[in-house]
Every structure is written in C-alpha cells, then in structure tokens.
Amino acid sequence: MELSEVFKALGDNTRLRILNLLSNQTLCVCQIGEVLGMSQPNASKQLNRLRYTGIIHCKKVSQWCFYGIKSAFSDQYPLLLEFLREQWAKNETFAADGKKLSELLAANDCCTRMLKIFEDR
C-alpha cells in the first residue's frame, strides 16, 4: 500500500470520519451510515474507497458487511494512525461521531450480536 494512495483515500472528511469510527472496533455499514447521517449506498461507496486502498477490510456475514481497520495498515503506518487518533480527540465533529456511535450501540447492537454469533460458529 503506497503512502500517496493512503493520503488520497484519507483526503476526504467523510472517509476520515469513517476511519475514526473504525479505529476502535469493527462496525456494520448500517451503523456507520446511521452515525454519519448518510444512506447505506453512500456509506458503502466511501468504505469501498478505503477498502480498495488497503486501509480497511470487509467481512461479509450473511447479508451484513462488517468493516474494520486492516492489521497491515496499522502495522505499516502506526505513527500515522496514532497522529490521526490525537487529531480526532481534539476535534468536535469526530468526538460527536464517537458519542453518537456509543449511544447507537447502547440502544441497539443487533449487528454486533450478529457478528458475534457467526464468529462463534
């Protein structure tokens, strides 16, 4: 994964917000769309850009698609990921996204339960 391609993929605020959400856990596309206030197709489009760059991976479980940060990305660019986390912690938009995600997961975590069921098999 080329650094210039990584920066191109991260050169979009929506994709940075998605990476922020995925920085601590695997999430379903519907959860990401809900937090960011976008349709599932629009969220999928942004996720695919991150996936094709090699930053995130997709695990399909039945009709659900779960996304997480690829270990190859975090292994190759640990300082970049650390820098991004520091910046996200200082920014209101990213903090609000994290809060909204926490509230969403507390209210309804059906996607997360589905992932756990399939992982346990």
Side-chain angles (χ1 to χ4, degrees), residues 22 63 74 76-77 80 89 95 97 100 104 109 115:
L22 296 175
Q63 73 260 25
S74 49
Q76 189 170 355
Y77 299 109
L80 175 58
D97 289 347
K100 190 169 182 180
L104 176 69
D109 66 341
L115 178 62

Side-chain angles (χ1 to χ4, degrees), residues 8-118:
K8 285 179 191 175
L10 297 179
D12 177 87
N13 195 52
T14 299
R15 290 190 290 268
L16 282 172
R17 290 174 70 195
I18 289 170
L19 194 61
N20 173 48
L21 295 174
L22 296 175
S23 68
N24 295 314
Q25 61 198 331
T26 299
L27 296 170
C28 180
V29 65
C30 64
Q31 294 167 318
I32 294 167
E34 177 73 24
V35 170
L36 299 183
M38 60 189 339
S39 68
Q40 189 168 335
N42 285 339
S44 292
K45 179 181 173 187
Q46 300 299 331
L47 287 159
N48 282 332
R49 175 65 196 265
L50 292 170
R51 189 169 60 125
Y52 291 133
T53 306
I55 297 171
I56 65 172
H57 62 86
C58 176
K59 178 178 185 171
K60 191 154 173 71
V61 178
S62 189
Q63 73 260 25
W64 292 275
C65 291
F66 293 90
Y67 293 88
I69 295 178
K70 270 187 151 180
S71 58
F73 173 74
S74 49
D75 291 346
Q76 189 170 355
Y77 299 109
L79 296 177
L80 175 58
L81 202 49
E82 181 181 329
F83 170 78
L84 290 171
R85 284 185 173 125
E86 289 171 3
Q87 298 309 304
W88 293 330
K90 299 175 189 176
N91 184 287
E92 286 181 30
T93 300
F94 296 102
D97 289 347
K99 182 178 180 192
K100 190 169 182 180
L101 177 62
S102 295
E103 292 169 356
L104 176 69
L105 294 175
N108 181 1
D109 66 341
C110 68
C111 296
T112 307
R113 284 193 313 250
M114 186 59 61
L115 178 62
K116 176 120 177 75
I117 290 168
F118 281 97

